[in-house]
Amino acid sequence: MSLVVIGSVAFDALETPFGKTDKIIGGAATYITLSASYSVKPVKLVAVVGDDFPQSDVLLLQEHGVDTEGLQIKEGEKSFFWSGKYSTDLNSRETLQTELNVLADFDPIIPDSYQDCKYLMLGNLTPQVQRLVIQRLVNRPKLIVLDTMNFWMDVALEELITTIEMVDVLSINDEEARQLSGEYSLVKAARKIMAMGPKYLIIKKGEHGALLFCKNKVFFAPALPLEEVFDPTGAGDTFAGGFIGYLAATDDISFDNMKRAVIHGSAMASFCVEKFGTERLVNLTKEEIEVRERQFAELVNVEPISIEA
């Protein structure tokens, strides 16, 4: 099924307790498309970079089944750049540098060949740009998933809420859910947020797993205990790519299938954190993914308890 992804394709420079990198490929759309590509091909990308973005990285995306017709390359301009440093426990990070560059005036252009879009993943960008993409599609997709962050809640809350009203699934973390709703209880927060428009809500809890809400239904997927975690950058986007890619591949948006999609997304995210940047995502095998999914399934599989009087 046709999947369109919008988001940033960028450079990152990362520092964790386990080492540091120079500029490497990053950005929400990069992680989302690479993750989704293991489920469905092609993944159609809408993004913008400067002419400093290496052709080798464009080819890397293409080799993974990413359609780059919607990737704008701005001559004489620089790509978005972010650098950050993570704390010892990897649960918090400090932004060292942000250069918007081409993202400052990004005008998303939807190629005609993308207009058959059945599944749309809106990666973290300004709510205005996310809304423009929805408006520029001739037909509304079967499912629209939106990812956002607390920054937009701080500086563009009204625009964000207007955009949230237009989507089917909202994906945010627990801190953002509390900020958006004004509720500490995630159950109460979910109820308030779904009243804004989305039929489904995913609340990511990092190393503590993810929650999926729909009306009065709740599903919890734990995180897989890993021996080594090097870099959490892009884990949330990798989760989102795995989630939307699985749904597009199966073309089933029932709650039960979304639970399976959450497990698949969690499995993909667990690979992402094992190396710096996208390093782990570009060399996965089908067998590795299947083994990891089974490990997740075992975490949530409990035999019925029999209590005798």
Side-chain angles (χ1 to χ4, degrees):
M1 295 296 114
S2 178
L3 168 61
V4 170
V5 173
I6 177 173
S8 58
V9 174
F11 292 124
D12 290 340
L14 311 168
E15 183 175 350
T16 80
F18 308 105
K20 60 191 301 184
T21 71
D22 293 322
K23 282 187 176 181
I24 58 174
I25 185 174
T30 301
Y31 287 97
I32 293 168
T33 53
L34 286 173
S35 181
S37 71
Y38 286 95
S39 297
V40 63
K41 289 181 175 65
V43 182
K44 300 179 179 182
L45 172 65
V46 177
V48 62
V49 294
D51 61 8
D52 59 341
F53 196 78
Q55 182 62 24
S56 59
D57 285 336
V58 177
L59 289 173
L60 174 70
L61 293 171
Q62 293 172 345
E63 287 166 359
H64 281 76
V66 179
D67 183 338
T68 58
E69 183 183 353
L71 177 63
Q72 302 174 39
I73 300 176
K74 297 285 188 177
E75 296 296 327
E77 297 188 44
K78 291 184 177 182
S79 304
F80 174 68
F81 171 68
W82 175 84
S83 66
K85 180 178 180 180
Y86 285 87
S87 62
T88 304
D89 63 3
L90 298 176
N91 284 325
S92 61
R93 70 186 185 189
E94 174 190 359
T95 293
L96 302 177
Q97 190 175 356
T98 301
E99 297 176 6
L100 287 176
N101 298 325
V102 291
L103 272 189
D105 57 356
F106 178 36
D107 182 25
I109 297 171
I110 315 298
D112 290 342
S113 64
Y114 288 19
Q115 286 294 344
D116 64 344
C117 169
K118 197 168 184 180
Y119 291 84
L120 175 63
M121 178 69 224
L122 300 168
N124 179 38
L125 285 172
T126 71
Q128 181 184 17
V129 169
Q130 292 174 321
R131 189 165 64 253
L132 269 177
V133 173
I134 299 173
Q135 293 169 339
R136 288 177 177 178
L137 289 170
V138 175
N139 299 308
R140 178 184 168 84
K142 180 176 180 177
L143 190 79
I144 302 175
V145 181
L146 181 145
D147 189 89
T148 190
M149 65 183 297
N150 52 2
F151 177 77
W152 304 118
M153 298 173 196
D154 292 334
V155 304
L157 181 59
E158 288 188 13
E159 280 199 359
L160 177 60
I161 290 174
T162 299
T163 305
I164 287 173
E165 290 174 353
M166 304 171 71
V167 308
D168 303 297
V169 184
L170 176 64
S171 175
I172 51 179
N173 67 30
D174 49 354
E175 178 186 346
E176 292 156 352
R178 290 182 171 114
Q179 179 175 344
L180 184 59
S181 66
E183 296 284 355
Y184 182 79
S185 161
L186 292 180
V187 174
K188 290 182 179 179
R191 191 178 300 120
K192 275 195 174 182
I193 292 169
M194 287 189 291
M196 297 176 185
K199 301 179 185 71
Y200 305 91
L201 172 67
I202 295 169
I203 298 181
K204 298 167 288 186
K205 293 170 60 63
E207 63 178 327
H208 302 297
L211 290 156
L212 171 68
F213 293 88
C214 174
K215 295 181 180 177
N216 60 342
K217 299 177 183 177
V218 184
F219 173 70
F220 174 69
L224 186 70
L226 297 170
E227 288 189 17
E228 294 181 335
V229 176
F230 277 87
D231 173 24
T233 307
D237 296 314
T238 303
F239 169 89
F243 176 80
I244 190 74
Y246 184 90
L247 293 179
T250 56
D251 195 26
D252 177 356
I253 59 172
S254 66
F255 185 74
D256 282 344
N257 200 53
M258 283 200 181
K259 292 191 289 186
R260 290 186 280 270
V262 167
I263 292 293
H264 178 73
S266 299
M268 296 303 295
S270 73
F271 287 117
C272 178
V273 302
E274 291 180 331
K275 296 290 183 182
F276 279 109
T278 61
E279 185 180 349
R280 189 72 173 94
L281 289 179
V282 298
N283 293 309
L284 287 174
T285 66
K286 182 180 179 182
E287 291 72 26
E288 284 180 303
I289 295 171
E290 288 175 349
V291 168
R292 188 63 57 91
E293 286 179 332
R294 285 197 294 271
Q295 290 176 311
F296 269 92
E298 288 170 3
L299 287 177
V300 296
N301 184 28
V302 179
E303 292 295 325
I305 299 173
S306 176
I307 302 176
E308 296 182 2

Coordinates of all heavy atoms in Angstrom, one line a residue, residues 3-10 12 25-37 43-49 53 61 66-68 70-71 80 103 106 121-125 147 234 236-238 240-241 244 278 281:
L3 N 2.7 4.5 0.9 CA 3.0 5.1 2.1 C 3.9 6.4 1.8 O 4.9 6.3 1.1 CB 3.8 4.2 3.0 CG 4.5 4.8 4.3 CD1 3.5 5.5 5.2 CD2 5.3 3.8 5.0
V4 N 3.4 7.5 2.3 CA 4.1 8.8 2.1 C 4.6 9.2 3.5 O 3.8 9.2 4.5 CB 3.3 9.9 1.5 CG1 4.0 11.2 1.6 CG2 3.0 9.5 0.0
V5 N 5.9 9.6 3.6 CA 6.5 10.1 4.8 C 7.0 11.5 4.6 O 7.7 11.8 3.7 CB 7.6 9.2 5.3 CG1 8.3 9.8 6.5 CG2 7.1 7.8 5.6
I6 N 6.6 12.4 5.6 CA 7.2 13.8 5.5 C 8.0 14.0 6.8 O 7.5 13.5 7.9 CB 6.1 14.8 5.4 CG1 6.7 16.2 5.5 CG2 5.0 14.7 6.4 CD1 5.8 17.4 5.2
G7 N 9.1 14.7 6.7 CA 9.9 15.0 7.9 C 11.2 15.5 7.5 O 11.4 15.9 6.4
S8 N 12.1 15.6 8.5 CA 13.4 16.2 8.2 C 14.4 15.1 7.8 O 14.4 14.0 8.3 CB 13.9 16.9 9.5 OG 14.0 16.0 10.6
V9 N 15.2 15.5 6.8 CA 16.4 14.7 6.5 C 17.6 15.6 6.8 O 17.6 16.7 6.2 CB 16.4 14.2 5.0 CG1 17.7 13.6 4.6 CG2 15.2 13.3 4.7
A10 N 18.5 15.2 7.6 CA 19.4 16.1 8.2 C 20.8 15.6 8.5 O 21.0 14.4 8.3 CB 18.7 16.7 9.5
D12 N 23.3 15.1 12.0 CA 23.3 15.1 13.4 C 24.8 14.9 13.8 O 25.6 14.3 13.1 CB 22.6 13.9 14.0 CG 21.0 14.0 13.9 OD1 20.6 15.2 13.7 OD2 20.3 13.0 14.0
I25 N 24.2 11.2 9.0 CA 22.8 11.3 8.5 C 21.8 11.1 9.6 O 22.0 10.3 10.5 CB 22.5 10.4 7.3 CG1 21.1 10.6 6.7 CG2 22.7 8.9 7.8 CD1 20.8 9.8 5.5
G26 N 20.8 12.0 9.7 CA 19.8 11.9 10.7 C 18.5 12.5 10.2 O 18.3 12.6 9.0
G27 N 17.7 13.0 11.2 CA 16.4 13.6 10.8 C 15.3 12.6 10.9 O 15.5 11.4 10.7
A28 N 14.1 13.1 11.3 CA 13.0 12.2 11.6 C 12.6 11.3 10.4 O 12.4 10.1 10.5 CB 11.8 13.1 12.0
A29 N 12.5 12.0 9.2 CA 12.1 11.2 8.0 C 13.1 10.1 7.6 O 12.7 9.1 7.1 CB 11.9 12.1 6.9
T30 N 14.4 10.3 7.9 CA 15.4 9.3 7.6 C 15.1 8.1 8.4 O 15.1 7.0 7.9 CB 16.8 9.9 8.0 OG1 17.0 11.1 7.2 CG2 17.9 8.9 7.7
Y31 N 15.0 8.2 9.7 CA 14.7 7.1 10.6 C 13.4 6.4 10.2 O 13.2 5.2 10.2 CB 14.7 7.5 12.1 CG 16.0 7.8 12.6 CD1 16.5 9.1 12.7 CD2 16.9 6.8 13.1 CE1 17.8 9.4 13.2 CE2 18.1 7.1 13.6 CZ 18.6 8.4 13.7 OH 19.8 8.6 14.2
I32 N 12.3 7.2 10.0 CA 11.0 6.7 9.7 C 11.0 5.9 8.4 O 10.5 4.7 8.4 CB 10.0 7.8 9.6 CG1 9.7 8.5 10.9 CG2 8.6 7.3 9.0 CD1 9.0 9.8 10.9
T33 N 11.6 6.4 7.3 CA 11.6 5.7 6.1 C 12.4 4.5 6.1 O 12.0 3.4 5.5 CB 12.1 6.6 4.9 OG1 13.4 7.2 5.3 CG2 11.1 7.8 4.7
L34 N 13.6 4.5 6.7 CA 14.5 3.3 6.8 C 13.7 2.2 7.6 O 13.7 1.0 7.2 CB 15.8 3.6 7.5 CG 16.8 4.4 6.6 CD1 18.0 4.8 7.5 CD2 17.3 3.6 5.4
S35 N 13.1 2.6 8.7 CA 12.4 1.6 9.5 C 11.2 1.0 8.7 O 11.0 -0.2 8.7 CB 11.9 2.2 10.8 OG 11.2 1.3 11.6
A36 N 10.4 1.9 8.1 CA 9.2 1.4 7.3 C 9.6 0.5 6.1 O 8.9 -0.4 5.7 CB 8.4 2.6 6.9
S37 N 10.8 0.8 5.6 CA 11.2 0.1 4.4 C 11.3 -1.4 4.6 O 11.3 -2.2 3.6 CB 12.5 0.7 3.8 OG 13.6 0.3 4.6
V43 N 8.7 3.5 0.0 CA 8.3 4.5 1.0 C 8.6 5.8 0.3 O 9.7 6.1 0.0 CB 9.1 4.3 2.3 CG1 8.6 5.4 3.3 CG2 9.0 2.9 2.8
K44 N 7.6 6.6 0.1 CA 7.7 7.9 -0.6 C 8.0 9.0 0.3 O 7.2 9.3 1.2 CB 6.4 8.1 -1.4 CG 6.1 7.0 -2.4 CD 4.8 7.2 -3.2 CE 4.6 6.0 -4.1 NZ 3.3 6.2 -4.9
L45 N 9.1 9.7 0.1 CA 9.7 10.7 1.0 C 9.4 12.1 0.5 O 9.6 12.4 -0.7 CB 11.2 10.5 1.1 CG 12.0 11.5 1.8 CD1 11.6 11.6 3.3 CD2 13.5 11.3 1.7
V46 N 8.9 13.0 1.4 CA 8.8 14.4 1.2 C 9.7 15.1 2.2 O 9.4 15.0 3.4 CB 7.3 14.9 1.3 CG1 7.3 16.4 1.2 CG2 6.4 14.2 0.3
A47 N 10.7 15.8 1.8 CA 11.7 16.4 2.7 C 12.5 17.4 1.9 O 12.3 17.5 0.6 CB 12.6 15.4 3.3
V48 N 13.4 18.1 2.6 CA 14.3 19.1 1.9 C 15.7 19.0 2.5 O 15.8 18.8 3.7 CB 13.7 20.5 2.0 CG1 13.6 21.0 3.5 CG2 14.5 21.5 1.2
V49 N 16.7 19.1 1.6 CA 18.1 19.2 2.1 C 18.8 20.3 1.3 O 18.3 20.7 0.3 CB 18.8 17.8 1.9 CG1 18.2 16.8 2.8 CG2 18.8 17.4 0.5
F53 N 24.3 18.0 1.1 CA 23.9 16.6 1.5 C 24.5 15.6 0.5 O 24.2 15.7 -0.7 CB 22.3 16.5 1.6 CG 21.9 15.3 2.3 CD1 21.8 15.2 3.7 CD2 21.4 14.1 1.6 CE1 21.4 14.1 4.4 CE2 21.0 13.0 2.3 CZ 20.9 13.0 3.7
L61 N 19.3 5.8 0.9 CA 17.9 5.7 1.1 C 17.2 5.0 -0.1 O 16.4 4.1 0.1 CB 17.3 7.1 1.2 CG 17.7 8.0 2.4 CD1 17.3 9.4 2.3 CD2 17.1 7.3 3.7
V66 N 13.4 3.6 -0.7 CA 12.8 4.9 -0.4 C 12.8 5.7 -1.8 O 13.8 5.9 -2.4 CB 13.6 5.7 0.6 CG1 13.0 7.1 0.8 CG2 13.7 5.0 1.9
D67 N 11.6 6.1 -2.1 CA 11.4 6.9 -3.3 C 11.7 8.4 -3.0 O 11.0 9.0 -2.1 CB 9.9 6.8 -3.8 CG 9.6 7.5 -5.1 OD1 10.3 8.5 -5.4 OD2 8.6 7.2 -5.7
T68 N 12.7 8.9 -3.6 CA 13.2 10.3 -3.3 C 12.8 11.3 -4.2 O 13.3 12.4 -4.3 CB 14.8 10.3 -3.1 OG1 15.3 9.9 -4.4 CG2 15.2 9.4 -2.0
G70 N 10.3 13.2 -4.0 CA 9.8 14.3 -3.2 C 10.9 14.9 -2.3 O 10.5 15.8 -1.5
L71 N 12.1 14.5 -2.5 CA 13.2 15.1 -1.7 C 13.8 16.3 -2.5 O 14.4 16.2 -3.5 CB 14.3 14.1 -1.5 CG 15.6 14.6 -0.8 CD1 15.3 15.0 0.6 CD2 16.7 13.6 -0.8
F80 N 19.5 21.0 7.3 CA 19.3 21.1 8.8 C 20.3 20.3 9.6 O 20.8 19.2 9.2 CB 17.9 20.5 9.1 CG 17.5 20.4 10.5 CD1 17.3 21.6 11.3 CD2 17.4 19.2 11.2 CE1 17.0 21.6 12.6 CE2 17.1 19.2 12.5 CZ 16.9 20.3 13.3
L103 N 15.2 24.1 6.4 CA 13.9 23.8 7.1 C 13.2 25.1 7.5 O 12.0 25.1 7.7 CB 14.1 23.0 8.3 CG 14.1 21.5 8.2 CD1 14.0 20.8 9.5 CD2 12.9 21.0 7.3
F106 N 10.7 25.7 4.6 CA 10.3 24.5 3.9 C 8.9 24.5 3.4 O 7.9 24.7 4.1 CB 10.5 23.2 4.8 CG 10.1 21.9 4.2 CD1 10.3 21.7 2.8 CD2 9.6 20.9 5.0 CE1 10.0 20.4 2.3 CE2 9.2 19.7 4.4 CZ 9.4 19.4 3.1
M121 N 2.5 9.4 7.0 CA 3.2 9.6 8.3 C 3.8 11.0 8.3 O 4.6 11.3 7.5 CB 4.3 8.5 8.4 CG 5.1 8.7 9.7 SD 4.2 8.2 11.2 CE 4.7 9.6 12.2
L122 N 3.3 11.8 9.2 CA 3.8 13.2 9.4 C 4.8 13.2 10.5 O 4.5 13.2 11.7 CB 2.6 14.1 9.7 CG 1.5 14.2 8.6 CD1 0.2 14.9 9.2 CD2 2.0 14.9 7.4
G123 N 6.1 13.2 10.1 CA 7.1 13.3 11.1 C 7.2 14.7 11.7 O 6.6 15.6 11.2
N124 N 8.0 14.8 12.8 CA 8.0 16.0 13.5 C 8.6 17.2 12.7 O 9.7 17.2 12.3 CB 9.0 15.8 14.7 CG 9.1 17.1 15.6 OD1 8.1 17.8 15.7 ND2 10.3 17.3 16.1
L125 N 7.7 18.1 12.4 CA 7.9 19.4 11.8 C 7.0 20.4 12.3 O 6.2 20.1 13.2 CB 7.7 19.3 10.2 CG 8.8 18.5 9.4 CD1 8.3 18.3 8.0 CD2 10.2 19.2 9.5
D147 N 3.4 12.7 14.4 CA 4.3 12.8 15.5 C 4.7 14.2 15.7 O 4.9 15.0 14.8 CB 5.6 12.0 15.2 CG 6.5 11.8 16.4 OD1 6.3 10.9 17.2 OD2 7.3 12.7 16.6
G234 N 16.6 9.1 17.5 CA 15.8 8.5 16.4 C 15.0 7.3 16.8 O 14.3 6.7 15.9
G236 N 12.3 7.1 18.7 CA 10.9 7.3 18.5 C 10.5 7.4 17.1 O 9.4 6.9 16.7
D237 N 11.3 7.9 16.2 CA 11.0 8.0 14.8 C 11.1 6.6 14.2 O 10.3 6.2 13.3 CB 11.9 8.9 14.1 CG 11.8 10.4 14.5 OD1 10.6 10.8 14.6 OD2 12.8 11.0 14.8
T238 N 12.0 5.8 14.6 CA 12.2 4.4 14.1 C 10.9 3.6 14.6 O 10.4 2.8 13.8 CB 13.4 3.8 14.7 OG1 14.6 4.6 14.3 CG2 13.6 2.4 14.2
A240 N 7.9 4.9 15.0 CA 6.8 5.4 14.2 C 6.9 4.7 12.8 O 5.9 4.4 12.2 CB 6.9 6.9 14.1
G241 N 8.1 4.6 12.2 CA 8.3 4.0 10.9 C 7.9 2.6 10.9 O 7.3 2.1 10.0
I244 N 3.9 2.5 11.2 CA 3.1 2.8 10.0 C 3.5 1.9 8.8 O 2.6 1.5 8.0 CB 3.4 4.3 9.6 CG1 2.4 4.7 8.5 CG2 4.8 4.5 9.2 CD1 1.0 4.9 8.9
T278 N 21.9 5.9 12.3 CA 21.2 4.9 11.6 C 22.0 3.6 11.3 O 21.6 2.7 10.6 CB 20.8 5.5 10.2 OG1 22.0 5.8 9.5 CG2 19.9 6.7 10.4
L281 N 20.3 0.3 11.6 CA 19.1 0.2 10.8 C 19.4 -0.2 9.3 O 18.5 -0.7 8.6 CB 18.2 1.5 10.8 CG 17.5 1.8 12.1 CD1 16.8 3.2 11.9 CD2 16.6 0.7 12.5

